[in-house]
């Protein structure tokens, strides 16, 4: 009985993955998913309460993994003694970004759903939420530098948001364009070099 149950669930999720990738969450047809999975509507509702619950069952583990790793890197850096933070700048974020590239390349389809096909769900603001966290921690770090005696100019939160948004959307181009892992890693490293140089210029470095 359990084996049949797992098979039915997998059939539904596989059919949903194809439908969501093709049409996005809003355009996807629950009737078509059920039909392509070869199950009854009753069987579907035995597993999921709605189309969004089905979408969430596919993307949530990946949303949690990506956001969790990102926040772990942010907090581990912020918890360092203030005088140690400048010398660690970029170390945690570099490790995090490399991990994210590997993760994305290993889970391309569900991550594409999360980043490109989630309009109309609670996940449509995933990248925005990541950007907001980046802005908050960037501003905290600038305050740390000021306390350490660095002459850091005031940068508007709106500018920090634009920069962070550009960076994250750049990183996630590897999903949009299905880049091979080696190319993705190389491009993302060079993208980070570009943004690092820009930040140093803005901060008077």
């Amino acid at each position: 009985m359990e084996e049949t149950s797992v098979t039915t669930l997998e059939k539904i999720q596989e059919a949903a993955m194809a439908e969501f990738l093709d049409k996005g969450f809003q355009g996807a047809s629950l009737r078509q998913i059920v039909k392509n999975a070869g199950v009854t509507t009753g069987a579907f509702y035995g597993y999921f309460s709605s189309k969004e619950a089905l979408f969430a069952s596919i993307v949530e583990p990946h949303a949690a993994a990506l956001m969790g790793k990102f926040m772990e890197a942010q907090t581990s850096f912020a918890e360092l003694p203030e005088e140690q933070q400048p010398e660690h700048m970029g170390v945690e974020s570099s490790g995090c970004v490399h991990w994210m590239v590997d993760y994305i390349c290993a889970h391309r389809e569900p991550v594409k759903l999360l980043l490109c096909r989630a309009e109309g769900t609670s996940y449509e603001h995933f990248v925005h939420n990541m950007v907001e966290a980046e802005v908050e921690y960037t501003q905290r770090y600038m305050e740390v530098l000021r306390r350490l005696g660095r002459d850091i100019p005031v940068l508007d939160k709106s500018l920090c948001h634009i920069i962070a948004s550009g960076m994250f959307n750049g990183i996630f181009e590897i999903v949009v364009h299905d880049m091979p892992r080696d190319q993705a890693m190389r491009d993302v490293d060079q993208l980070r070099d570009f943004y690092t140089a820009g930040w140093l210029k803005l901060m008077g470095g």
Side-chain angles (χ1 to χ4, degrees), residues 162-195:
I162 290 168
I163 294 169
S165 182
M167 185 183 72
F168 280 106
N169 281 291
I171 291 170
F172 293 137
E173 283 285 293
I174 67 178
V175 179
V176 176
H177 297 294
D178 298 313
M179 287 184 190
R181 181 194 172 281
D182 289 349
Q183 180 189 346
M185 198 68 78
R186 183 173 61 252
D187 286 357
V188 166
D189 277 344
Q190 291 177 327
L191 180 74
R192 291 186 69 255
D193 287 345
F194 175 85
Y195 275 98

Side-chain angles (χ1 to χ4, degrees), residues 114-162:
L114 172 65
L115 298 177
C116 308
R117 301 287 190 268
E119 187 177 354
T121 76
S122 60
Y123 297 95
E124 68 176 301
H125 301 300
F126 179 81
V127 177
H128 175 80
N129 293 340
M130 197 171 269
V131 167
E132 287 289 285
E134 175 76 9
V135 170
E136 180 185 340
Y137 280 95
T138 297
Q139 294 197 310
R140 286 189 197 179
Y141 177 59
M142 288 191 287
E143 287 302 319
V144 167
L145 292 177
R146 291 186 184 105
R147 285 195 292 273
L148 292 172
R150 306 284 181 92
D151 184 19
I152 304 296
V154 175
L155 301 178
D156 286 344
K157 188 174 181 179
S158 59
L159 173 63
C160 294
H161 184 96
I162 290 168

Side-chain angles (χ1 to χ4, degrees), residues 1-13 30 33-34 37-58:
M1 181 68 181
E2 186 176 335
E3 185 179 341
T4 304
S5 182
V6 170
T7 302
T8 301
L9 176 60
E10 287 175 346
K11 283 180 180 177
I12 294 170
Q13 289 181 318
L30 193 53
I33 291 169
V34 169
V39 301
T40 65
T41 303
F44 171 84
Y45 284 112
Y47 291 97
F48 303 105
S49 59
S50 63
K51 185 171 73 167
E52 181 157 8
L54 171 58
F55 188 89
S57 76
I58 298 171

